[in-house]
Amino acid sequence: MIPLPAGRFFLILLFGAFLLPGCAAPRTAEIAWNEAGVDRVWPSPPSTPRIRYLRTISGTGDFASDGAGARFLRWVAGDPDRGPDLQSPYGVAADGDGLIWVADSGTQAVHAFDLARGKVTYLTNFGKERLVTPVGLAVDSQRRILYVSDAGLGKVFAVDYQGDLLGLREPPGGYGRPAGMATDLQGNLYVVDVVKGLIAVFSPEGTFVRAIDGHQLEGGGFNLPSNVFVDQAGNVFVTDSMNFRVAVFDHRGDVLGTIGELGDGPGTLARPRGVAVDSRGDVFVGDAAFDNIQLFDLTGQLLLYFGSPGNGPGEFALPAGLFIDRFDRLYVADAHNHRIQIFQFLSGDK
């Protein structure tokens, strides 16, 4: 664990000023989403590819080079190689235009990567409160609100993109342990409470709306839920981790069904953690026991899986939070590899 010094922004590294001609930020279309020299797709040819590896981000070194920028980094950070990197990334969220936030309990900070400007900032304090164990993230791009859950503090913060505190999101009776979060298209916030076994729902203005406790599920409720995602239709997907499944609800909180069951082969789940849904309604589930990502349809049928243990492109070590942006880019918190891997979902026949 490498705790950062106190201060809302510990360090701002403006590499763009040194690496980009004329200090001008590139347009979104010019962001280097693809890692040079790496071309991996799943499934492999001659099958129609559905997933393409794009790139990895792990810290300030991703924006440095052997030129003036790298020398500036070494001078500022006092590090021979790079600045403070991700240590234990868990939650990840993105705006789709090159802003990526990562909750990292190892550095007790939220790392904010700006791919367009080659800049990394660190959010460590909101108001007078210092982060202890940031784990969950959600973003309301329309209102430019970032939500951060801290399991150690038992709080959910609403902040603007600069990290200025806007308020707290607290359910009646408080949280047991807040974790994964998501927003829907209307800006409602969904917060997983691991200990209380429920999902707290808030309006965009911060009013507590209701709790989804999963009592309609087989077995009578959640067993250590961890993450949540809301698709474009308003359906709510919850990783019910110790029931080895993903529970699916409609926008009213009524049960639609479950995906997955305990097992050790493709189509089953052993340690589900992250969940996300693309624009076609396909459901991505990260499994920390298999070190892979499985892709299901809404009926629970397995469509594809990719990934294996390791540290290369498309390999994982304890994958955690997932996020899919409006361009169907999949972001995976590859926790034990201390990085975020980014993939592109490709159109194609199922």
Side-chain angles (χ1 to χ4, degrees):
M1 179 179 294
I2 304 175
L4 299 175
R8 180 162 63 86
F9 297 104
F10 153 62
L11 178 65
I12 300 178
L13 300 172
L14 295 171
F15 297 116
F18 293 81
L19 302 177
L20 302 175
C23 302
R27 297 189 303 272
T28 298
E30 296 172 336
I31 292 175
W33 287 101
N34 296 287
E35 188 170 313
V38 180
D39 184 16
R40 292 210 61 185
V41 296
W42 295 267
S44 301
S47 299
T48 302
R50 301 288 306 281
I51 304 292
R52 180 182 299 279
Y53 170 81
L54 294 180
R55 64 173 295 178
T56 290
I57 58 174
S58 58
T60 53
D62 297 310
F63 304 114
S65 69
D66 292 331
R71 292 193 293 274
F72 173 71
L73 169 63
R74 288 191 286 270
W75 176 74
V76 170
D79 186 298
D81 297 312
R82 53 202 301 165
D85 290 345
L86 296 172
Q87 296 297 315
S88 300
Y90 187 88
V92 58
D95 74 344
D97 295 324
L99 288 176
I100 303 169
W101 297 272
V102 183
D104 182 8
S105 60
T107 54
Q108 298 178 295
V110 173
H111 299 228
F113 296 90
D114 186 339
L115 299 187
R117 295 174 174 80
K119 183 175 75 172
V120 187
T121 59
Y122 302 88
L123 309 180
T124 61
N125 288 56
F126 298 134
K128 296 181 179 179
E129 195 121 46
R130 178 176 172 78
L131 293 177
V132 174
T133 314
V135 289
L137 290 171
V139 61
D140 180 347
S141 296
Q142 182 177 353
R143 296 169 182 79
R144 297 180 66 82
I145 298 175
L146 179 69
Y147 297 101
V148 180
S149 67
D150 190 305
L153 295 173
K155 293 184 176 180
V156 172
F157 300 91
V159 301
D160 63 21
Y161 282 10
Q162 287 70 49
D164 292 322
L165 182 63
L166 302 175
L168 297 174
R169 299 293 182 264
E170 295 180 309
Y175 295 103
R177 188 168 77 225
M181 299 188 295
T183 55
D184 61 20
L185 290 179
Q186 288 70 45
N188 297 300
L189 175 68
Y190 297 72
V191 182
V192 173
D193 190 321
V194 179
V195 172
K196 292 189 175 181
L198 54 81
I199 312 300
V201 184
F202 299 87
S203 73
E205 294 74 29
T207 302
F208 175 76
V209 176
R210 66 180 185 277
I212 303 173
D213 61 12
H215 69 277
Q216 306 166 73
L217 293 164
E218 182 179 351
F222 298 120
N223 189 355
L224 295 182
S226 53
N227 283 290
V228 60
F229 196 88
V230 185
D231 70 8
Q232 296 182 7
N235 298 318
V236 182
F237 299 75
V238 181
T239 47
D240 191 9
S241 296
M242 290 310 294
N243 282 325
F244 315 104
R245 64 190 180 186
V246 174
V248 188
F249 304 84
D250 67 16
H251 67 281
R252 298 180 297 271
D254 295 328
V255 173
L256 294 178
T258 60
I259 294 173
E261 60 182 0
L262 178 61
D264 58 4
T268 63
L269 301 172
R271 197 176 171 187
R273 298 177 80 181
V275 62
V277 184
D278 65 27
S279 62
R280 295 179 18 147
D282 297 331
V283 184
F284 293 73
V285 183
D287 196 302
F290 300 153
D291 286 326
N292 70 7
I293 309 295
Q294 299 190 76
L295 177 59
F296 299 88
D297 67 15
L298 272 177
T299 70
Q301 178 184 356
L302 179 67
L303 304 175
L304 171 71
Y305 70 93
F306 68 99
S308 58
N311 57 16
E315 297 176 339
F316 303 100
L318 301 180
L322 306 183
F323 185 84
I324 290 181
D325 68 21
R326 67 183 187 280
F327 298 106
D328 278 339
R329 299 187 195 97
L330 171 67
Y331 305 76
V332 181
D334 190 8
H336 202 58
N337 281 328
H338 321 298
R339 64 184 183 181
I340 301 296
Q341 293 196 70
I342 307 174
F343 303 86
Q344 179 70 60
F345 174 76
L346 306 172
S347 60
D349 295 332
K350 294 184 179 181

